Amino acid sequence: MTRFKDQIAIITGSASGIGKEIALAFVKEGATVVIADLKMDAAQKTADEIIAQGGRALAIEMDVTKEDQVNAGIDKVHQTYGRIDCLVSNAGVQIVHPIEEFPFDQWKLMLAVHLDGAFLTTKACLKYMYPAKSGSIIYMGSVHSKEASPLKSAYVTAKHGLLGLARVLAKEGAKHNVRANVVCPGFVRTPLVDKQIPEQAKALGISEDDVVKNVMLKNTVDGEFTTVEDVAQAVLFFAGSQSKALTGQSLIVSHGWVME
Ligand SMILES: NC(=O)c1ccc[n+]([C@@H]2O[C@H](COP(=O)([O-])OP(=O)(O)OC[C@H]3O[C@@H](n4cnc5c(N)ncnc54)[C@H](O)[C@@H]3O)[C@@H](O)[C@H]2O)c1
């Protein structure tokens, strides 16, 4: 399939989990992908896997909270390929504590990875997208962009914030033909979620099985986890649309957890 033939897609946090699957999905549709991640070894491994399967990929070491690293990485992508068609701002972490115990440095880290990261990568890409009069930026939100859960104050704050950034970018970017949208997944079994299960069990005083059944999947229509493939397809839907009408929106992919 060639929906993204000759296109360059940068995906942050794509060495593992959801981001990696998004990269693989873009490659299947003909795109060249940039695997931008804090963990260079893992990023290179993902890029090598793609190349071994006949795809095109470039690994870049990038801490999305560091302005210099972000700018250098995005500039390198443009120098290498001469265009940037799509940015998926996906890098993320999860830290759970009740508010009264939330360490301030961890609060700041959460907001930095999700919000500074989205802002810095967006700003660096707009430098190339605006003159090219073309671009699509997709933020990895969450059901927690729309809903709150105990212990997740920093995450919920950050994920709600991404809706605001996407909406402003949709307004500012329109005259440059740059669109902005948010994908909002439910729980997906990735390292980020696997780490939370024992942490939440301890914090809530319940079993790990109860965390899965009665916390994470309780409000889905069928008790199922969302998959990385489900999320990747939603990202490609936004990225692949040629319609200027599809901007400033958010799409929940969650087995019905939170309907709007
Ligand atoms: N897993 C879920 O259930 C779920 C649900 C909704 C939203 N999300 C969101 O999806 C995104 C990806 O999560 P995931 O579950 O695949 O997690 P993951 O832990 O598998 O992957 C996250 C990736 O981000 C990278 N990363 C972390 N900090 C970074 C930084 N400062 N700079 C660059 N890269 C960094 C990590 O190295 C890792 O490769 C996150 O934004 C997360 O909030 C996940």
Side-chain angles (χ1 to χ4, degrees):
M1 287 196 278
T2 54
R3 192 161 38 137
F4 296 97
K5 186 171 175 292
D6 299 329
Q7 294 201 14
I8 308 300
I10 302 172
I11 304 112
T12 67
S14 49
S16 83
I18 292 172
K20 179 175 176 181
E21 184 61 32
I22 294 167
L24 295 173
F26 267 114
V27 169
K28 269 193 209 134
E29 301 255 14
T32 297
V33 291
V34 177
I35 311 295
D37 205 286
L38 188 61
K39 296 181 188 150
M40 185 55 184
D41 288 355
Q44 191 60 57
K45 203 165 154 245
T46 297
D48 289 344
E49 250 176 63
I50 291 169
I51 293 163
Q53 290 163 20
R56 284 181 301 274
L58 173 70
I60 287 206
E61 184 169 8
M62 183 188 289
D63 179 342
V64 296
T65 69
K66 302 271 185 312
E67 186 175 15
D68 290 352
Q69 269 190 42
V70 169
N71 289 343
I74 304 291
D75 286 348
K76 183 175 171 191
V77 173
H78 196 265
Q79 277 156 19
T80 308
Y81 298 113
R83 61 189 290 164
I84 297 171
D85 299 280
C86 181
L87 165 68
V88 185
S89 169
N90 167 80
V93 291
Q94 178 60 281
I95 303 169
V96 292
H97 294 288
I99 295 172
E100 72 278 15
E101 291 169 17
F102 218 113
F104 188 35
D105 60 338
Q106 294 192 25
W107 166 271
K108 284 191 280 196
L109 172 71
M110 283 285 298
L111 298 196
V113 175
H114 293 270
L115 293 179
D116 297 1
F119 164 72
L120 290 172
T121 50
T122 297
K123 189 176 173 193
C125 284
L126 292 183
K127 182 173 144 191
Y128 300 109
M129 288 178 172
Y130 279 178
K133 287 255 166 248
S134 173
S136 172
I137 297 187
I138 294 141
Y139 299 102
M140 191 51 64
S142 162
V143 167
H144 285 111
S145 298
K146 318 265 179 169
E147 170 70 294
S149 292
L151 311 178
K152 297 192 172 172
S153 53
Y155 188 78
V156 169
T157 301
K159 292 299 192 192
H160 274 65
L162 291 174
L163 296 178
L165 178 61
R167 288 167 182 162
V168 174
L169 177 58
K171 292 197 172 191
E172 292 184 4
K175 62 178 176 290
H176 306 282
N177 195 29
V178 169
R179 297 178 299 112
N181 292 289
V182 186
V183 171
C184 300
F187 281 101
V188 183
R189 280 309 281 260
T190 64
L192 180 137
V193 162
D194 286 338
K195 174 176 164 281
Q196 278 174 68
I197 295 173
E199 286 173 0
Q200 289 216 31
K202 194 167 164 229
L204 298 170
I206 57 177
S207 71
E208 293 190 16
D209 203 37
D210 279 341
V211 170
V212 171
K213 283 203 183 102
N214 299 324
V215 178
M216 293 182 166
L217 304 180
K218 181 172 175 230
N219 295 312
T220 61
V221 294
D222 52 11
E224 299 238 357
F225 276 103
T226 300
T227 65
V228 288
E229 292 84 2
D230 296 326
V231 182
Q233 288 314 313
V235 169
L236 264 63
F237 168 70
F238 277 131
S241 169
Q242 298 303 315
S243 171
K244 285 185 182 179
L246 191 58
T247 192
Q249 304 307 315
S250 54
L251 181 63
I252 302 176
V253 189
S254 66
H255 287 260
W257 171 31
V258 176
M259 299 187 191
E260 54 178 21

